[in-house]
Structures are given as structure tokens and as C-alpha cells.
Amino acid sequence: MENQQKLIHTFGALAEIGSEIAQKQNFQQMMRTSLHLLLGSLAIMRGGIARFSRFGHELNMIVVRGLGDEFPLSMNLCDEDERQFLTNGSFPIEVAQAKVLPFFQIYDQSFDKKKIELLVPLVVRDEIVGVILLGEKANGAGYSAYDKEIVGAMARHIGVGIAQRNLLAELERRAAENRQLYDNLRMTYQDTVKAFAAAIDCKDKYTEGHSVRVGKYSEIIARELGWGENETEGAAVAGYLHDVGKLTVERNIINSPMRINAKESAELNKHPAVGYEILMPIHHPFADVPLAAKYHHERLDGRGYPDGLIDREIPYIAKIVNLADSFDAMTTDRPYKRRRPANEVVEDLQRNAGRQFSPELVTAFFKGMLKELTGETKEKRFRRLLGRDYMEAEGIVPMLKNALNGLDGTSSLTLISLD
Amino acid sequence: MENNFETGVKSNDAAATVYADDYLNKLSGEKIERECRRRLDAGCKTLTVNFADTHIVNSSGVSILLGVIDAAADAGAKIVFSDVKNETVELFEMLGLTNHVEVVPESWQEVTESYK
Ligand SMILES: [Fe+2]
Ligand SMILES: [Fe+2]
């Protein structure tokens, strides 16, 4: 009768400890409950669970019961102890029989004072993850073979719980490390892109800052379209690098103060294809960057170059960069042409929506501009790039509102004109 | 004797009774241990834990009670488990808790009460 009750009591504890470890709850609480169950199953007066730190070669107490204030919370293991514990596995060691090990010699007094009788190494997949220390039983009897079986079984569950926790912490650490590595790479990439843009703009003394501005306008359009952080950054990069092919065009053609002749024009018109060749072999975090360079001079109506693509044949990113590029061309002084006033630019974009530009992109661009002019956003992107007086010219806001009404609902397909 | 229903404790300075309620199979049972320690710290010399409402004591409960026993020993106080159900008395005997604490079974209590 007594044996049966004992069996029920201890197996109840064993089952509970198993389900406790299986539940992914707070680690500290899981260990506290586990220690209660282990001590209570055999009415063990005191004990504790320690976790092994591989790097410090030390055992740090996670939970203790009845060990008092003087018991060491951190204990060192030397190589010999570790080797012995590993060979032993998760089976109880009688402290009285293990005095040869340095560990037991060093902590002999503390163990003696608290009547620590058993030590169970927690070994999981050939690694020490911790130990359990157990004091005397309430009935004063030593640990029987049966008791040791029970203790060993519970210890194995607890060991798995600690190993799981270690694994989780390791995964979290690696994820954080990866994130940082990725952030660093990304920053390096952004710096490289900006350095390239500066190099491109250097070559063209009349359009200083062109690439940087096209990058910023492309970003504004993408953001207005509701694109995510990554895609928006991709649009900015496409803008920064769209004229990279100009690096191979002769400087005097680019910098010619007059309109260039047909031969020179043919030379200049190679820059999209050359840009594509330059960008293609580079691994970009954003896939469309080379395509933006290749097709940023295409027009919806097919009258662009190099391939004379029409509307749906043109990659979306190239349409964005084309709009940003054209806007910058209109709003900055060129060697043969002064910049045009804002109202003319708005009119031009509106008129060419469906011919050169995708109407939805013009809409997005106008919306971005309007938000800034009406103060809906605190950002001053246009004002900073174009000058305050230029952007705040009279009548621009109603013009933009009007244009947006007109553009609303029009699709590029119905507006294509091949005249 | 003052009655303090909120903490489930009846006490004067030297003696206190803590009611174990139904908690002795959960981690929240640690609340009882904290209560007992508080009483002992306050100078209580006879601590009674009443088990009238306790139907099951599992391993967690045993561990918590061992904590109470340990605390009482440290404080030099006498400890009594009263109104203990018969099955639980058997468990306490089997595990050796009776070596450290006076256990008064539920049935005894009734008998002694009726003679008063
Ligand atoms: Fe270009
Ligand atoms: Fe350009």
C-alpha cells in the first residue's frame, strides 16, 4: 500500500516536470517549479539547480531552496571535474563517494554544512548544461536505488529545459548579430551608391547634384505610392545611379555649352545601355537598379530611347526615374537653357501624363509636392532642393489641386497617343 | 485572538494559524510559505498550518511545506499541521515529514473538539 502511494506521488511529479519543461513559459519560473517538484517528490529538505557557463567554466545557481545565504551561488569547475561529469552523464553522484574530484574538495565545507548528499550533472547531447544539488531526505534515510532512478529521470527533463533555453539564447544572439552585419553592409552599400552619384555629378559641371536630386525625387514618388521601406530605398538607389553610364562618355560632350551634334548625341545616348552593363554584375539589394539605368529615357508613347519601348514594356522603376529625371531637367539651369518656372513645369508634367509619363506617377509626385506646400508634412524636400521662392510661387497650390482632379481616374492606356 | 480573514491567518503574538487553502498543488502555494515566514519573523513560536480546505498535496506542495518546516527550525518555533486529511497524513508519514512536524489528523481534531 505504502509503495503504491509512493509510486503515484513520485510519478505524478515526474509527469508534471515533463509537461512543465514542454511548456514554453518563463524560464526562471519553469526552473522554480521543477525544483519544487523534484524536492517534493522524495521530500528532500533542500537543493538547487545551477546552470553551467561554458565560457567561465562555472556553475551559476538559477534556483535554490533552503541553502541559506552563505551557500556559494557561483562555483568553478576545472577540466578534470568537467571530464568526470561528462562521462558520468545525468546520473546522481553521491557526494560522500566523490571527494577525490577537485570540485568536491573546494566546496566540501559548504556541502557539509547544508548536508548536500547528491550531485546530478545535467548532460545533454554530450555537453554539460548544469548540475542539481540535493540535500538530505526528510525521513533521514539515504537515497535508495529507486530514489536515484527518479532523481535521474527528473534531472534529464530539467537538463533538456536548460539546453532548450541555451539554444534559444544562442539563436537570439545570432539573429541580433546578423541584423547588425546586415545593417553594416547596407550602410556600406549606401555610402558606395552616394560616392558613385557624386562621381557621376562631378563629371557634369552644369548639372551638379543631378543624380542626388533624381534619387531624392524617386524616393518621394515611391513613398507617395505607399511602397515599403526597402522598396523606397531601392527607388532612391535607382535614381542615384541612373546616369552611371555617363562616366564613360567624353567629358567635353557632357559639358558642351551648346546643343550637341548628331554624332555627339549618339555617343551620349549610349549612357543608359552602358549604365546597365556597369550595374548588372553588381549584387544590389534591390533588383531593379540596372533596369532603371537602361530604360530611364524611354517614354510611354514609344518615342524614347534606347529601345522605343511603350508603356507596359517599360519597367515601373524606370518610369519613376524618368519622371524624376525630367523634373530635375526642367527645374535646373542648363548651359543652353534657364530653368522653367514652377507653374510651367506643373503644366508640362500634366500635359505629358500619358504621353511621356505614367499618370499615376505624376499624381503621386504632385501629391507629395502638395503635402509639403500645404504643410501636411513638415518635411522640406522640394524647398530645400529647389529654393523656397521657386516652390512658393503664387498659384502653385491651386494648380496642383486642379491637376490632381484632372489626373484622377485617368489611366495611361487611354491616354497613349502616338501622333 | 484576532481574526484576520484577508490573509487567512489567525494570530496573537506567540501563536499563529495559517490556512493552507486549496493552493498546495501549485506554484502560487509559495504564498503560504511567505505568510508563515512573515509570522515567524514577527516572533511567532507556535505555528499551525490548517489543512481543513486542502484536498490534494502534490510534490510542489510537499516542497513548500518543507520550506515552512525549515523556516520554523531556523526560528526555533514549534510547527503543527492540523486538520490534515487521512490520505495526506499517510503521504506525510511515508515521506518522513512527520519526523519534523506534529501532524494532527482531521478525525482527531473532531474528537478532541467534541470533548471540550
Ligand atoms: Fe540620363
Ligand atoms: Fe539623368
Side-chain angles (χ1 to χ4, degrees), chain A residues 198-271:
Chain A
I200 302 160
D201 292 346
C202 244
K203 202 154 180 189
D204 189 344
K205 69 175 179 190
Y206 291 111
T207 57
E208 202 190 338
H210 169 68
S211 300
V212 172
R213 286 191 301 272
V214 172
K216 297 216 159 120
Y217 295 138
S218 301
E219 185 182 339
I220 291 169
I221 297 167
R223 186 151 289 145
E224 270 319 307
L225 289 170
W227 285 15
E229 245 354 272
N230 275 329
E231 290 79 7
T232 304
E233 197 187 324
V237 170
Y240 277 118
L241 296 178
H242 76 284
D243 271 341
V244 71
K246 279 191 182 170
L247 283 173
T248 65
V249 178
E250 261 184 65
R251 197 178 277 268
N252 56 6
I253 296 177
I254 297 173
N255 287 334
S256 170
M258 294 156 296
R259 287 200 177 271
I260 46 179
N261 64 33
K263 197 180 151 217
E264 291 167 331
S265 174
E267 171 74 16
L268 183 62
N269 289 359
K270 280 185 195 158
H271 81 271

Side-chain angles (χ1 to χ4, degrees), chain A residues 132-386:
Chain A
I132 297 175
L133 296 170
L134 298 172
E136 84 277 21
K137 284 167 60 185
N139 63 10
Y143 286 87
S144 67
Y146 168 82
D147 292 343
K148 287 182 192 165
E149 277 306 316
I150 291 291
V151 167
M154 287 195 177
R156 283 186 282 279
H157 278 298
I158 294 170
V160 168
I162 296 177
Q164 268 175 358
R165 165 73 182 195
N166 289 349
L167 208 62
L168 202 69
E170 176 67 13
L171 282 177
E172 275 166 7
R173 193 185 60 74
R174 280 197 204 164
E177 218 172 53
N178 259 342
R179 236 180 347 261
Q180 209 187 349
L181 211 62
Y182 176 74
D183 285 348
N184 284 345
L185 273 179
R186 198 165 166 145
M187 254 150 66
T188 310
Y189 176 78
Q190 284 168 350
D191 287 348
T192 311
V193 166
K194 282 180 187 156
F196 252 96
I200 302 160
D201 292 346
C202 244
K203 202 154 180 189
D204 189 344
K205 69 175 179 190
Y206 291 111
T207 57
E208 202 190 338
H210 169 68
S211 300
V212 172
R213 286 191 301 272
V214 172
K216 297 216 159 120
Y217 295 138
S218 301
E219 185 182 339
I220 291 169
I221 297 167
R223 186 151 289 145
E224 270 319 307
L225 289 170
W227 285 15
E229 245 354 272
N230 275 329
E231 290 79 7
T232 304
E233 197 187 324
V237 170
Y240 277 118
L241 296 178
H242 76 284
D243 271 341
V244 71
K246 279 191 182 170
L247 283 173
T248 65
V249 178
E250 261 184 65
R251 197 178 277 268
N252 56 6
I253 296 177
I254 297 173
N255 287 334
S256 170
M258 294 156 296
R259 287 200 177 271
I260 46 179
N261 64 33
K263 197 180 151 217
E264 291 167 331
S265 174
E267 171 74 16
L268 183 62
N269 289 359
K270 280 185 195 158
H271 81 271
V274 173
Y276 178 78
E277 294 304 320
I278 294 173
L279 294 173
M280 204 46 202
I282 301 171
H283 179 78
H284 299 273
F286 323 104
D288 296 340
V289 175
L291 287 177
K294 184 161 187 177
Y295 294 121
H296 75 274
H297 286 294
E298 298 287 358
R299 299 166 47 105
L300 247 59
D301 56 16
R303 288 160 60 189
Y305 67 95
D307 292 343
L309 302 181
I310 57 163
D311 194 2
R312 273 181 298 180
E313 296 170 336
I314 308 169
Y316 205 70
I317 187 75
K319 292 179 187 171
I320 293 177
V321 173
N322 176 267
L323 175 58
D325 192 27
S326 308
F327 180 78
D328 188 58
M330 289 185 242
T331 54
T332 47
D333 292 334
R334 296 287 154 127
Y336 43 82
K337 207 176 183 182
R338 281 199 62 78
R339 73 168 172 183
R340 294 158 59 192
N343 58 332
E344 269 184 41
V345 173
V346 172
E347 258 172 32
D348 193 301
L349 295 183
Q350 191 185 358
R351 194 174 47 249
N352 281 301
R355 294 194 176 94
Q356 181 179 350
F357 312 117
S358 184
E360 69 194 82
L361 297 184
V362 177
T363 302
F365 201 38
F366 282 176
K367 276 185 183 161
M369 217 180 277
L370 200 60
K371 271 185 194 167
E372 188 178 315
L373 291 175
T374 56
E376 195 186 322
T377 156
K378 289 279 162 280
E379 288 176 74
K380 290 181 183 163
R381 301 165 301 188
F382 286 101
R383 265 171 284 196
R384 201 163 284 146
L385 292 169
L386 294 167

